[in-house]
Amino acid sequence: MAAMPAQALTGKNRYADAPRNADYTIDQRWDTYTAEEHDRWDRLFQNQLRLLPGRACDQFVDAMHKLELSEAGIPDMEKLSGRLKELTGWTVVPVTDLVPDDIFFDHLANRRFPAGAFIRPEEEFDYLEEPDIFHDIFGHVPLLANPVFADFMEAYGKGGNRALELGQLKNLARLYWYTVEFGLIRTADGLRIYGAGILSSPHETVFSLKDDSPNRVGFDLERLMRTKHIIDDFQQTYFVIDSFEQLLETCYKDFGDVYARVKGQPDYEAHDLVPGDDVLTRGTREYFLAKQ
Ligand code: HBI
Ligand code: FE
């Protein structure tokens, strides 16, 4: 039985009570967005557009243009899906907020990305914990137009239901968190961002590459699956992949043996560095300690 989704937002999410289908999809009702909501999307978009050069990975920037995301206003998911489907077979489906894990995985396994239909309120312009339409569409959708990343996301969805069966969702959720949401990638020109949680948050876009406080560690699946994560502040450790191909091949193999090795092993704290880490940056933790 799927766990109930996070309490649908009251007040700030006018889709909270939208009638939904069995797969938790709703009707985006694109024509009901107000001029103010479209304007907020445009300001969020222009904000990020200014920050991304030299920070977002090339694959993200290329895909954003291919999907014509630079059009003004909140995207109509149906039109966006038309363009995306031609590129990698993915579509974007409107949902109210977080959906149960099994529903989420089933969508991904069938190349459907569930995107929140609401847009963050002005008072949470910079960051909100729930996935609003800007986080989901600006942050997550562009890389679904990249064939290798698109394959990875489908493989992740297929792995999700298996993790649920094995009771190891916690470990798999960390993989999503430290890659799809907060991942960095090595390039010939230095580190670049591909994680949606960073790309949709103005402050973390700068912090993740520039600040001395966080660790930056080479991607290691098993180590990452044992590492706790933070959901209400910047990340204390960023994991760095060499390529999307590396991420995909990690996921193509069956996780059964990895789960067996991490099961029962103690978790690492979000700020820990552990023996064997490929340490790119040993964080000073200054930003985090100053908040304690
Ligand atoms: N639902 N809409 C939505 N978006 C997510 O990112 C999401 C979700 N449900 C579950 C979930 N993420 C995570 O718990 C899984 O990645 C493990
Ligand atoms: Fe997300």
Side-chain angles (χ1 to χ4, degrees), residues 95 97-101 104-105 113-116 131 135-136 140 156 169 172-173 176 181:
V95 292
D97 189 69
L98 290 175
V99 302
D101 293 326
F104 182 66
F105 294 131
F113 189 81
H135 168 79
D136 278 332
H140 283 287
Y156 179 89
L169 178 63
L172 191 75
Y176 191 85
E181 293 292 4

Side-chain angles (χ1 to χ4, degrees), residues 197-227:
I198 308 177
L199 291 169
S200 58
S201 163
H203 291 161
E204 194 153 9
T205 297
V206 176
F207 178 89
S208 64
L209 291 178
K210 194 166 131 255
D211 203 284
D212 294 336
S213 304
N215 301 321
R216 292 174 187 87
V217 172
F219 176 87
D220 173 323
L221 181 65
E222 223 167 292
R223 187 303 200 199
L224 174 158
M225 280 193 167
R226 291 176 54 186
T227 307

Side-chain angles (χ1 to χ4, degrees), residues 39 63 96 189 227 287:
D39 173 66
T96 296
D189 306 319
T227 307
Y287 165 83

